Amino acid sequence: MASRLSRREEDLSCPVCHEIFKRPIVLSCGHSFCKDCLQEWWTERPTRECPVCQRRSSKDHPLTNFVLKNLCEKLLEEKGRSSSSSLSSEVLCSAHGEKLKLFCLDDQQLACLVCRDSKKHAGHEFLPVDEASDLCKQKVQESLEPLKEKLKVFDKVKTNYDITENHMKVQARNTETQIKEQFENLRRFLQEEEEARMAALREEEAQKSQEMKERIEALSREMETLSNAIQAAEDQLRADDHVSFLQNYKTTMEGVQLTLQDPPPLSGGALIDQAKHLKNLTFRVWDKMKDMVSYTPVVLDPNTAGRWLMLSDDLTSMRCGGGEQLLPDNPERFNHEFSVQGSEGFDSGSHSWDVEVGDNACWEVGVCEELYRREGDTGRGCWRIEFYRDEYRAIYSSEPGDDDEETVLSVNQKPQRIRVHLDWDTGRLSFSDPDSNTHLHTFTHTFTETLFPLIDNYDADGPSLKMLPGKITLENHS
């Protein structure tokens, strides 16, 4: 219907105004026009000619085209019905039944012309719906911007949550593997130790059982000899024939005059030496385990490690290189990409640990407060010595924004190990070379915060920095 009406509108349109004919009149040439359009056309020209074919009109007052007029009226009637149907679906003012042509900026609601003049909206500012729509769209668009920015923040945090969840699963699996391996090593050691001690017990049992068997067999033979002699003499004594007894008397006396030594008593050590096998058994096994276990005073915390560091499975060494890792942005992690701290902090007492630096070309070893971890080089509370460009420095980072206090150290022999000794209570932090027993530097400070061991490794081509195991001492001895 819409396309058919469109074609009809084109056929019933005035060639001058291009709208549906209004009071159509027809010229002698056959072209029709709106009466007003034709009169306006002729007032601007000296001759009365057709606007289409320029043919001169023979009549000053053209006749009305009633056929065309009826067709146009019918078309307008149809368009009116269609428009009425469309208008019937429009939302009208619930209070006045009028079209909602205005928008009240104060109440932020649609209004009709009657509403505008009502007391309810007295002094309110109104805009036509099209202008109000543009204005409100602009405000909504402006309000969307912070929401979009907030969504970006949420998306970034969610991404970090996803990374954290996946990293936790990897951590759990790796940790489970390490626990199983270490307990398997302990079980293997204990099983081998049990078998060795059971073998020693069985060997002692077999040896002493064989000795006792030989003693019993020798004693049984002598007892049999005595029993035979006694039996033979008793048989002679029961004989009634005196002549026969006397005839065998000499032989009988030789039989009862046997010279046998008393059997030897049990010698010392004949029994199983239970005390030897059971004496402090668990302690002696524990003491022997020193050869297979180690104790490291400082264990590295992987949750603090920078993204360019790779830690060993036992968390005692770290190296730089291998590319940047995708790690969670958790609160414990260093902002500095090449730093890691120990898993345990100290807020009292005396503590020592050794770090193997080897031939690494660029490293830092020391302690730091927790706040330094997130603020990095701009943070406060970090005491360390640094090796960089073949030069040793002692560095103290104090308050944020302040320049570091640096002291160039005189080191004659390049240390392979650095010993860190922290006496928190007396406020002394010392560094030395344990191999040459050379003192490198000592910081003095009144510590008030918990201090964590700090290690930095900047040498991507260098060896790992290692936290060395300490000595395991036992006060008792097996």
Side-chain angles (χ1 to χ4, degrees):
M1 174 64 72
S3 59
R4 184 164 60 85
L5 289 175
S6 177
R7 286 196 299 271
R8 289 177 62 189
E9 289 179 14
E10 183 178 355
D11 294 337
L12 300 177
S13 296
C14 172
V16 176
C17 66
H18 303 290
E19 295 183 1
I20 297 175
F21 286 107
K22 299 174 182 177
R23 299 168 62 188
I25 56 177
V26 60
L27 299 180
S28 56
C29 62
H31 293 118
S32 297
F33 303 93
C34 294
K35 182 177 181 178
D36 293 339
C37 292
L38 185 61
Q39 292 296 331
E40 183 178 356
W41 178 271
W42 282 351
T43 57
E44 297 176 355
R45 287 163 178 76
T47 60
R48 296 189 175 188
E49 59 184 24
C50 175
V52 176
C53 63
Q54 283 79 46
R55 182 177 175 181
R56 186 179 181 87
S57 176
S58 60
K59 297 179 180 180
D60 293 334
H61 301 285
L63 299 177
T64 300
N65 190 338
F66 289 101
V67 175
L68 188 57
K69 181 176 181 293
N70 293 334
L71 290 175
C72 290
E73 289 176 350
K74 184 177 181 180
L75 175 60
L76 290 174
E77 184 181 351
E78 291 178 0
K79 287 175 63 70
R81 287 198 300 268
S82 176
S83 176
S84 298
S85 175
S86 175
L87 289 175
S88 64
S89 63
E90 290 183 357
V91 179
L92 302 178
C93 176
S94 60
H96 308 107
E98 298 292 333
K99 294 182 180 179
L100 298 172
K101 295 183 177 182
L102 301 174
F103 185 76
C104 178
L105 298 179
D106 296 270
D107 294 336
Q108 294 189 357
Q109 64 182 25
L110 289 166
C112 68
L113 295 175
V114 180
C115 291
R116 179 190 60 184
D117 300 328
S118 66
K119 292 182 179 180
K120 179 181 177 181
H121 294 279
H124 289 186
E125 184 179 358
F126 291 85
L127 283 178
V129 290
D130 54 347
E131 295 182 18
S133 177
D134 293 339
L135 177 62
C136 293
K137 286 181 179 179
Q138 181 181 355
K139 290 184 177 180
V140 171
Q141 186 65 36
E142 292 173 354
S143 300
L144 281 177
E145 293 307 317
L147 294 181
K148 291 179 179 178
E149 293 300 321
K150 181 65 69 174
L151 181 60
K152 291 180 182 179
V153 174
F154 276 60
D155 184 65
K156 183 178 179 180
V157 172
K158 183 181 181 300
T159 299
N160 187 50
Y161 283 178
D162 293 337
I163 295 173
T164 301
E165 181 184 23
N166 294 332
H167 189 70
M168 287 169 54
K169 293 179 180 179
V170 173
Q171 281 185 307
R173 288 194 296 268
N174 292 343
T175 304
E176 180 181 354
T177 300
Q178 292 295 312
I179 292 174
K180 287 182 177 180
E181 289 181 357
Q182 295 195 31
F183 272 94
E184 182 59 33
N185 292 336
L186 293 174
R187 280 192 288 268
R188 187 182 303 111
F189 168 82
L190 292 174
Q191 183 177 357
E192 293 174 354
E193 190 66 19
E194 177 188 4
E195 292 174 354
R197 294 183 183 275
M198 293 297 292
L201 173 62
R202 294 190 186 101
E203 182 180 358
E204 181 182 359
E205 179 188 15
Q207 176 186 350
K208 292 187 175 180
S209 295
Q210 180 63 29
E211 293 175 357
M212 189 55 61
K213 181 179 179 181
E214 294 174 356
R215 287 173 178 267
I216 293 173
E217 289 177 352
L219 186 59
S220 297
R221 289 193 295 270
E222 292 185 351
M223 290 176 64
E224 184 179 4
T225 299
L226 287 174
S227 297
N228 292 338
I230 293 171
Q231 183 66 40
E234 289 178 345
D235 289 343
Q236 290 297 324
L237 289 174
R238 287 193 295 268
D240 295 332
D241 187 349
H242 299 295
V243 175
S244 176
F245 171 77
L246 293 174
Q247 287 179 336
N248 295 320
Y249 173 72
K250 183 178 180 180
T251 302
T252 301
M253 286 302 295
E254 291 176 354
V256 297
Q257 291 179 347
L258 291 174
T259 304
L260 295 176
Q261 295 181 354
D262 291 338
L266 287 174
S267 59
L271 298 178
I272 298 296
D273 191 354
Q274 287 181 277
K276 180 185 72 174
H277 295 286
L278 298 178
K279 179 182 62 176
N280 297 319
L281 176 59
T282 55
F283 176 85
R284 287 185 293 128
V285 172
W286 180 36
D287 189 22
K288 192 173 181 179
M289 287 178 69
K290 291 188 300 181
D291 298 332
M292 67 163 293
V293 300
S294 62
Y295 168 74
T296 306
V298 172
V299 175
L300 304 178
D301 184 355
N303 294 338
T304 68
R307 302 178 189 278
W308 286 87
L309 297 181
M310 299 290 293
L311 272 60
S312 61
D313 290 338
D314 61 0
L315 307 179
T316 61
S317 67
M318 50 89 89
R319 63 181 179 86
C320 175
E324 185 177 10
Q325 303 175 82
L326 182 62
L327 298 175
D329 184 22
N330 51 298
E332 300 86 357
R333 195 168 306 282
F334 267 102
N335 279 341
H336 202 298
E337 303 293 347
F338 305 94
S339 302
V340 64
Q341 74 175 32
S343 60
E344 181 182 1
F346 308 116
D347 57 7
S348 64
S350 180
H351 311 272
S352 293
W353 60 92
D354 291 351
V355 182
E356 183 179 273
V357 295
D359 295 325
N360 196 291
C362 187
W363 50 262
E364 289 183 359
V365 173
V367 298
C368 69
E369 296 177 357
E370 187 173 12
L371 184 61
Y372 179 83
R373 184 172 60 212
R374 292 300 288 181
E375 295 182 349
D377 291 336
T378 63
R380 59 182 291 269
C382 184
W383 298 261
R384 61 206 186 271
I385 62 172
E386 173 192 72
F387 179 65
Y388 179 60
R389 293 182 178 177
D390 294 327
E391 190 172 58
Y392 295 87
R393 289 186 178 88
I395 305 174
Y396 167 49
S397 299
S398 55
E399 295 298 327
D402 293 347
D403 294 334
D404 291 341
E405 299 178 12
E406 297 188 5
T407 303
V408 177
L409 305 179
S410 177
V411 179
N412 297 325
Q413 181 179 346
K414 184 177 182 180
Q416 295 293 301
R417 294 189 296 160
I418 300 296
R419 175 162 295 169
V420 184
H421 181 76
L422 169 65
D423 193 332
W424 197 95
D425 298 327
T426 63
R428 294 177 63 85
L429 175 67
S430 300
F431 299 88
S432 62
D433 178 357
D435 296 321
S436 62
N437 197 26
T438 302
H439 173 260
L440 299 176
H441 188 75
T442 296
F443 290 101
T444 57
H445 184 82
T446 302
F447 301 121
T448 58
E449 302 291 335
T450 301
L451 299 179
F452 293 85
L454 169 70
I455 309 96
D456 291 359
N457 186 352
Y458 304 94
D459 188 356
D461 300 321
S464 299
L465 300 183
K466 298 180 181 179
M467 311 304 299
L468 297 178
K471 292 183 179 180
I472 301 177
T473 58
L474 301 175
E475 296 180 357
N476 299 315
H477 300 279
S478 58

